[in-house]
Amino acid sequence: MPCLKWMVPNGKPRIFPIYKKIVSIGRAGGNDVCVDDPSLSDYHAQIIFDGREFNFSEVDARGEMLLNGKKKRRGKLIHGDRLTLGTVELAFSLYDELVAEAQHDASTELSGLRKLYDFSQRLMDLRSVPELISALMDAVIEVTNADKGFLILTDTETPRIAVARNLNHENLNDGVRQLSDSIIKRVIESKKPIIVSDALHDEQFRSSESVMSLKLCSVMCAPLMAQGELLGILYVGNDNVVNLFEERSLDVLTIFAGQASLILQNALLLDSIKHDFDNLKQKFEMSRFGDIIGSSPTMLEVFRTVEKVASTDISVLITGETGTGKELIARALHDRSDRAKKPFIVVNCGAIPENLIESELFGHVRGAFTGAVATRLGKFQLADTGTLFLDEVGELPLPMQVKLLRALQEKTVLKVGDTKPERVDIRVVAATNRDLEAEMKGGNFREDLFYRLNVINIHLPALRARGDDILVLAKYLLQKYGAELGGKVKGFTPNALIAIRKYDWPGNVRQLENRIKKAIVMCDKTLIGVEDLDMLPEAISSVKTLTQAREDFQRRYILEVLERNNGNRTKTARDLGVDPRTIFRYLEREPDAKEPAPSS
């Protein structure tokens, strides 16, 4: 068997069998003849067997090369010739009895495994997809002894080149001109690997214009498959040597094609995740109104109202269930007003003891009452030129309502224990979760104060009535508190999202926020499940049938009209356009209903 013998100075010669059509020589570990000597380039030279003769040629023009003591860049090798690369002397022999066929097979297999291992190690250090693909293509060219290689993507109608490389690890700018359309088409149609040993004389491709114009010799292709779908093609070639590629070379290429498929799959998955994230981010930004998130029709109507009244000093009453975000709307009104750079003062009327409310709102002078050791400003004075937010205003006792009304009407306040009123310039925004109209009828809230506060009413819908806003909010809260609390949670399971959407959320956004915080801390998985949110099936309200929903609405509406008519069933039936017996039938079905007392 032909071989190269390295004359190691002061050591035993090393023999390298020449068993391939192209044998690479250099200092880098991926060479067939690897000589670790500083005088050699990483890829110094190569020996090419064309079926009849052995020829050598330079790979790196900077490397020094001599044939039998004379400078040569390329030429023919005959038995006994001596190649000098740098300071390394190699003797070429057509025969070497020391190299057995078994050694040949073992060294071939070992070389392929070593290159596959080297490539796998390099993958650990690479991050971007272009780097991964370029490294893979370089490894494929090395292991197959090709002089160029291409990774072609087939995700569009026209195949496109993702990377084109040559033997020197350089990008080929004119890669598309060096490919055979007919060979690529054959692989796309068959989805099977192919070897073309001598393209110019191959019966299948000799009529191909691309093969003839490119004067192709050896070509080898392997499809990149994922779940039965073609992602692309690995294409390698050598235009100088015919019959270069063997079945063993195709096996190696197929292994690398598997690696390339995984890289592409991951790249496509990452692109898909990034696309979903960008869509979610865009949807989130479109749904955001200051610190408030929502895109349901009811919330969009709230936002429009805020935009209209924010620039005025008109009084606004914000109503809605606990946890719907009334303070956020109040802040949005302030931030969009001419008072935005002035104070925004919050008073929780339900959290202040009754005997301290007046002092809290209007302040006090020193000695006004036991414990008043110094004069103190109230919230009205602190909010001067800004906005005063009266949260849970429905909790104010009646005597305090009178004083609040006077302060709003006269725009002056009097400290407790003082005799000199102070003028204040404030915009008042109030909020309550109570039905103030019902409170007025019950004598618990002053009608004149109600109309003073309720010039513009902004009603915040319950979370359960906001449609897909619930899911957008849940994902936003998970992103926000996931980073803050340091959890490993990345998302929700599909069943968790269904449960979140179906749950009634009596505590609204505040309850959703607390559940997600708890789940982030307690969940041991990367996805939050139904059990992590304490939302077992029995906690999720079942969907009513359309018939049941219609029946419930009719019952409620009949009772509402009956109440308006002070319990007069005959008048109620006439107003509703139904037989009086219908009213009796609904009342019989509602034994626990509080029927209005009939009018006299």
Side-chain angles (χ1 to χ4, degrees):
M1 174 180 289
C3 66
L4 284 174
K5 185 183 296 185
W6 177 21
M7 306 305 182
V8 182
N10 303 318
K12 184 179 178 181
R14 288 184 58 187
I15 298 172
F16 299 94
I18 299 177
Y19 52 86
K20 294 182 176 180
K21 294 193 169 37
I22 296 181
V23 174
S24 58
I25 308 170
R27 188 180 179 187
N31 287 286
D32 300 305
V33 178
C34 179
V35 180
D36 188 11
D37 188 280
S39 65
L40 264 67
S41 300
D42 286 343
Y43 299 95
H44 201 111
Q46 62 184 6
I47 295 176
I48 302 170
F49 179 61
D50 61 6
R52 292 175 301 172
E53 298 176 337
F54 288 91
N55 296 280
F56 69 92
S57 65
E58 67 177 14
V59 173
D60 190 340
R62 296 168 298 179
E64 184 179 345
M65 186 161 60
L66 304 175
L67 175 65
N68 299 323
K70 295 182 179 181
K71 285 188 177 182
K72 290 275 188 177
R73 292 298 179 188
R74 61 186 55 82
K76 185 171 73 171
L77 283 174
I78 60 175
H79 181 70
D81 278 347
R82 290 180 177 269
L83 272 177
T84 305
L85 309 180
T87 60
V88 174
E89 187 173 335
L90 300 169
F92 175 71
S93 174
L94 284 173
Y95 314 101
D96 196 319
E97 297 178 358
L98 297 177
V99 181
E101 191 66 29
Q103 286 179 304
H104 158 60
D105 292 340
S107 60
T108 302
E109 184 177 355
L110 183 61
S111 175
L113 288 173
R114 183 185 295 115
K115 289 180 180 178
L116 183 58
Y117 173 77
D118 289 342
F119 171 68
S120 299
Q121 289 296 107
R122 269 185 281 171
L123 286 185
M124 305 294 182
D125 301 324
L126 300 176
R127 293 291 179 266
S128 69
V129 173
E131 282 183 318
L132 290 170
I133 294 176
S134 295
L136 179 134
M137 204 69 254
D138 291 340
V140 169
I141 292 171
E142 287 178 22
V143 81
T144 59
N145 289 310
D147 60 9
K148 59 187 175 183
F150 309 86
L151 192 147
I152 305 161
L153 298 180
T154 57
D155 55 343
T156 57
E157 290 185 7
T158 304
R160 56 192 176 90
I161 297 175
V163 65
R165 305 281 280 182
N166 63 19
L167 186 62
N168 296 326
H169 298 180
E170 298 168 337
N171 290 323
L172 296 174
N173 297 324
D174 60 342
V176 69
R177 298 180 182 177
Q178 302 188 38
L179 294 171
S180 167
D181 295 337
S182 55
I183 294 176
I184 292 172
K185 183 180 178 183
R186 176 64 58 86
V187 178
I188 292 175
E189 290 174 350
S190 67
K191 296 182 181 179
K192 293 181 179 178
I194 185 174
I195 293 178
V196 183
S197 299
D198 186 357
L200 285 172
H201 300 93
D202 192 290
E203 291 291 335
Q204 299 181 57
F205 301 108
R206 66 167 54 184
S207 60
S208 168
E209 291 184 14
S210 59
V211 169
M212 301 306 293
S213 62
L214 293 171
K215 298 181 180 180
L216 299 179
C217 290
S218 298
V219 176
M220 182 167 57
C221 296
L224 310 179
M225 305 295 295
Q227 286 81 47
E229 295 294 323
L230 182 69
L231 298 179
I233 298 169
L234 272 186
Y235 179 116
V236 294
N238 190 305
D239 297 338
N240 299 312
V241 182
V242 298
N243 299 311
L244 171 65
F245 303 124
E246 304 169 345
E247 286 300 323
R248 179 171 301 185
S249 304
L250 191 60
D251 291 342
V252 172
L253 186 67
T254 304
I255 292 172
F256 277 91
Q259 293 270 16
S261 297
L262 288 174
I263 293 171
L264 286 179
Q265 273 187 289
N266 289 334
L268 293 172
L269 179 60
L270 287 172
D271 283 345
S272 175
I273 291 172
K274 185 178 183 299
H275 179 69
D276 290 345
F277 176 77
D278 289 342
N279 282 345
L280 179 62
K281 185 177 179 182
Q282 183 180 12
K283 186 175 181 181
F284 167 70
E285 291 301 329
M286 290 173 63
S287 305
R288 189 161 190 164
F289 186 80
D291 292 329
I292 313 156
I293 298 168
S295 58
S296 62
T298 50
M299 288 305 296
L300 292 178
E301 183 60 36
V302 168
F303 300 156
R304 281 192 289 268
T305 304
V306 170
E307 291 283 10
K308 286 180 180 179
V309 304
S311 59
T312 70
D313 275 347
I314 200 166
S315 296
V316 177
L317 178 64
I318 306 168
T319 57
E321 296 179 7
T322 299
T324 49
K326 295 187 285 294
E327 184 175 338
L328 292 178
I329 292 295
R331 287 186 180 274
L333 284 166
H334 174 74
D335 292 341
R336 285 164 173 74
S337 73
D338 295 336
R339 301 174 182 265
K341 295 182 180 179
K342 303 298 182 178
F344 177 80
I345 303 299
V346 179
V347 182
N348 188 339
C349 300
I352 307 170
E354 187 172 340
N355 61 330
L356 295 178
I357 291 178
E358 184 176 359
S359 171
E360 188 70 20
L361 289 178
F362 307 132
H364 61 259
V365 297
R366 179 181 178 185
F369 50 83
T370 304
V373 295
T375 298
R376 181 175 176 271
L377 297 178
K379 299 298 186 183
F380 269 77
Q381 292 95 331
L382 293 173
D384 190 29
T385 71
T387 302
L388 179 65
F389 176 50
L390 300 174
D391 197 12
E392 303 303 344
V393 71
E395 305 292 334
L396 283 175
L398 284 169
M400 195 61 234
Q401 293 178 28
V402 177
K403 295 178 180 180
L404 174 60
L405 178 62
R406 184 181 300 116
L408 296 178
Q409 288 175 335
E410 299 176 5
K411 295 185 179 180
T412 59
V413 294
L414 187 65
K415 291 189 182 80
V416 177
D418 201 357
T419 56
K420 183 180 178 182
E422 298 176 63
R423 191 161 190 81
V424 289
D425 171 24
I426 59 172
R427 195 252 184 99
V428 173
V429 178
T432 182
N433 62 355
R434 291 191 176 193
D435 182 351
L436 292 188
E437 293 189 17
E439 293 292 317
M440 284 191 299
K441 291 179 181 179
N444 298 319
F445 200 84
R446 292 183 61 91
E447 186 174 355
D448 47 6
L449 178 59
F450 173 76
Y451 290 118
R452 171 65 66 174
L453 295 173
N454 192 38
V455 179
I456 294 290
N457 177 255
I458 297 177
H459 181 73
L460 295 184
L463 185 57
R464 58 185 171 275
R466 289 175 54 181
D468 287 339
D469 279 1
I470 301 175
L471 300 181
V472 177
L473 271 167
K475 291 174 182 177
Y476 165 73
L477 293 170
L478 176 62
Q479 181 187 29
K480 176 182 177 181
Y481 293 113
E484 184 179 308
L485 299 174
K488 64 178 182 180
V489 176
K490 302 299 180 186
F492 298 95
T493 65
N495 285 339
L497 291 175
I498 292 171
I500 288 171
R501 184 68 176 78
K502 291 177 67 176
Y503 189 58
D504 274 346
W505 297 109
N508 293 292
V509 179
R510 189 175 295 119
Q511 183 186 12
L512 174 65
E513 185 177 33
N514 291 338
R515 289 281 181 95
I516 289 175
K517 282 183 181 179
K518 177 186 174 184
I520 291 171
V521 174
M522 301 301 293
C523 183
D524 296 324
K525 303 179 289 293
T526 55
L527 295 179
I528 292 175
V530 175
E531 64 283 358
D532 300 308
L533 294 166
D534 296 333
M535 295 172 64
L536 300 177
E538 57 268 20
I540 302 171
S541 60
S542 58
V543 177
K544 294 180 179 179
T545 64
L546 187 59
T547 301
Q548 183 63 48
R550 186 186 300 116
E551 190 78 5
D552 289 347
F553 171 76
Q554 288 178 345
R555 182 182 298 110
R556 288 195 304 272
Y557 190 61
I558 287 172
L559 290 173
E560 182 183 331
V561 177
L562 188 64
E563 185 177 0
R564 289 183 190 176
N565 290 329
N566 295 318
N568 189 321
R569 299 172 185 177
T570 303
K571 187 175 187 307
T572 299
R574 188 168 57 250
D575 289 345
L576 293 173
V578 297
D579 191 283
R581 286 173 295 183
T582 302
I583 308 299
F584 287 106
R585 178 165 58 85
Y586 274 102
L587 290 176
E588 288 171 0
R589 291 183 185 179
E590 196 77 17
D592 297 329
K594 199 172 182 180
E595 184 183 345
S599 58
S600 56

